[in-house]
Amino acid sequence: MLADLFSSESVTSGHPDKLCDAISDAIVDACLSVDANARVAVETCVKGKEDSSLIVLAGEVSLLGDIPDYQAIARKTAAAIGYTSHAIGMDAMSQELCDVQVHITTQAANIAQGVNKDGLQQGAGDQGIMFGYACTETESYPELKGRYFPLAAALSQRLTRRLSAVREQGILPWARPDGKSQVTVEYDDEGHIKRVHTVIIAIQHDKHLKDQFDGDEAKELEFVKQQVTEHVVKYSIPAQLLDEDYKLVVNGTGRFADPGGPYSDAGLTGRKIIVDTYGGMGRHGGGAFSGKDPSKVDRSAAYASRWAAKHVVAAGLADICEIQLAYVIGVAEPVSLRVETFGTSSLSDKQIAQKVSTVFDFRPGAITSDLNLLRPIYSPCAAGGHFGRVPGGNGEFPWEVIDSTKIAALQS
């Protein structure tokens, strides 16, 4: 009999797609630092080859004030992630080895006329559908409590954030920026979490690591697996979820040595949207987040719907809540609001939807005001997931903050 399994994946900040997300979000933050009402929609593409690498920036920016140095932002962001040597995948600070092309114009007038309205009359930056999701899966584990998030997604995110941390902190000095994780969770017959079934890790490493083992790649892999087990897996996953039968796969091809990153694979902004959201457990709308200012409801309304869904679950109204919003370009009010609790609430979905529509204002102007989104807070979102995170001391992830007054209003 097959076990009831669900899997989610995540990628590190050095994955080529996440590198692109980071550059795009760094540009958003730079523009918002100049003008809180800046309109930004910037895509990044990266690719490396034997003798050079390339960063392409394309999109639209409109703001009042000095235009940021997009090329410098791209180089500094990539270097901060760890791409400072062509031998590992990219030397972002080298003018000779890394070319940065900028193709950024201003926002189209027909879009601007529907969006550039004052306050609560601000129209949506585009049509589209957005989903927010929350559940109680993480709430049985002290390390994860308060996140109201799917367990497989929460654990895969923790693993990739840890993969970056052990490299940055020198705990695993041979580690490189590129990496991935995947976690499979097993459920019992009643749908309760039983254990972690499988953990998959891909970690880029120094190509000379095998020299420590006289060129023996099998011993090299054994060493990498032991170090990942000790410093990444056991650190990130609650002990009660790891029994002696769980399966761990590290670098499934046998080796993931330099060069990696953009050399191994082209990167593009917005290509990891399931990694960014709920790991496949909750649905995703049509648009990516990174590279967009908050007037784009692809971003702001996805944050608002997550905020609302998290409150519904935190208020005890349901064990699972998914909220869908839909917009038309240039119009403030959502076209539709739908709540689905998957049979986990004593209230009907329509009753909860009525409460949500009363307590939360989903007009773009209200969202940006309630969550204080017109700030340079987006770079930390670029890797490790946009949701299920601990709110940062600098105001990052405000859509993860529980508002006790809204909890009380939902419960009344």
Side-chain angles (χ1 to χ4, degrees), residues 343-363:
T344 66
S345 176
S346 61
L347 301 175
S348 71
D349 290 341
K350 287 186 178 180
Q351 286 175 307
I352 295 180
Q354 181 58 49
K355 287 176 175 287
V356 168
S357 65
T358 301
V359 174
F360 294 90
D361 189 338
F362 294 111
R363 291 175 293 176

Side-chain angles (χ1 to χ4, degrees), residues 78-89:
I81 287 172
Y83 286 113
T84 57
S85 169
H86 194 69
I88 68 171

Side-chain angles (χ1 to χ4, degrees), residues 27 41-45 54-61 70-71 99-106:
I27 290 173
V42 173
E43 315 290 339
T44 303
C45 176
L54 174 66
I55 302 174
V56 178
L57 309 175
E60 301 79 44
V61 172
Y70 303 127
Q71 180 176 150
D99 182 28
V100 179
Q101 298 181 7
V102 179
H103 305 278
I104 295 176
T105 61
T106 57

Side-chain angles (χ1 to χ4, degrees), residues 215-234:
D216 190 327
E217 292 185 5
K219 289 183 178 180
E220 176 191 64
L221 179 59
E222 181 182 352
F223 171 77
V224 170
K225 185 173 182 178
Q226 184 273 326
Q227 292 286 292
V228 166
T229 301
E230 185 65 29
H231 296 289
V232 179
V233 177
K234 290 183 178 180

Side-chain angles (χ1 to χ4, degrees), residues 311 314-315 317 355 359 402-412:
H311 277 77
L317 300 185
K355 287 176 175 287
V359 174
I402 296 292
D403 184 335
S404 60
T405 62
K406 292 190 181 297
I407 293 287
L410 287 169
Q411 292 172 335
S412 65

Side-chain angles (χ1 to χ4, degrees), residues 76-278:
K76 290 178 182 178
T77 301
I81 287 172
Y83 286 113
T84 57
S85 169
H86 194 69
I88 68 171
M90 172 181 284
D91 184 351
M93 298 307 292
S94 171
Q95 299 280 342
E96 179 182 354
L97 295 175
C98 181
D99 182 28
V100 179
Q101 298 181 7
V102 179
H103 305 278
I104 295 176
T105 61
T106 57
Q107 186 179 58
N110 288 339
I111 295 176
Q113 69 182 3
V115 177
N116 294 341
K117 300 176 184 178
D118 293 334
L120 297 179
Q121 299 308 308
Q122 176 185 325
D126 203 348
Q127 71 174 51
I129 58 172
M130 299 84 209
F131 289 94
Y133 183 89
C135 65
T136 58
E137 285 195 354
T138 52
E139 300 314 292
S140 298
Y141 310 98
E143 303 95 324
L144 303 171
K145 195 169 179 62
R147 285 164 173 78
Y148 297 99
F149 206 63
L151 184 64
L155 296 179
S156 63
Q157 289 180 4
R158 280 171 66 86
L159 286 167
T160 51
R161 292 198 296 268
R162 181 61 178 171
L163 282 173
S164 295
V166 295
R167 175 183 57 82
E168 293 166 355
Q169 296 170 18
I171 296 171
L172 301 182
W174 44 264
R176 298 294 182 258
D178 199 355
K180 289 185 175 184
S181 72
Q182 186 169 292
V183 175
T184 300
V185 171
E186 181 177 346
Y187 297 81
D188 65 21
D189 292 340
E190 296 180 351
H192 300 131
I193 292 166
K194 185 177 179 181
R195 68 187 185 110
V196 166
H197 181 277
T198 303
V199 177
I200 300 173
I201 299 290
I203 179 170
Q204 179 192 2
H205 60 81
D206 183 349
K207 66 181 178 181
H208 298 297
L209 182 60
K210 67 178 182 180
D211 295 346
Q212 299 179 27
F213 308 97
D214 298 322
D216 190 327
E217 292 185 5
K219 289 183 178 180
E220 176 191 64
L221 179 59
E222 181 182 352
F223 171 77
V224 170
K225 185 173 182 178
Q226 184 273 326
Q227 292 286 292
V228 166
T229 301
E230 185 65 29
H231 296 289
V232 179
V233 177
K234 290 183 178 180
Y235 185 95
S236 304
I237 298 180
Q240 63 265 45
L241 289 169
L242 292 174
D243 62 24
E244 60 183 12
D245 294 324
Y246 94 95
K247 183 179 181 181
L248 174 63
V249 179
V250 176
N251 290 351
T253 65
R255 201 160 193 259
F256 184 16
D258 295 332
Y263 180 91
S264 297
D265 189 13
L268 187 65
T269 300
R271 203 158 57 178
K272 288 291 180 286
I273 58 176
I274 301 303
V275 167
D276 285 343
T277 53
Y278 308 103

Side-chain angles (χ1 to χ4, degrees), residues 375-377 380 389-398 401:
R375 298 174 292 150
I377 58 172
R389 304 285 293 271
V390 175
N394 294 321
E396 301 98 346
F397 310 104
V401 176

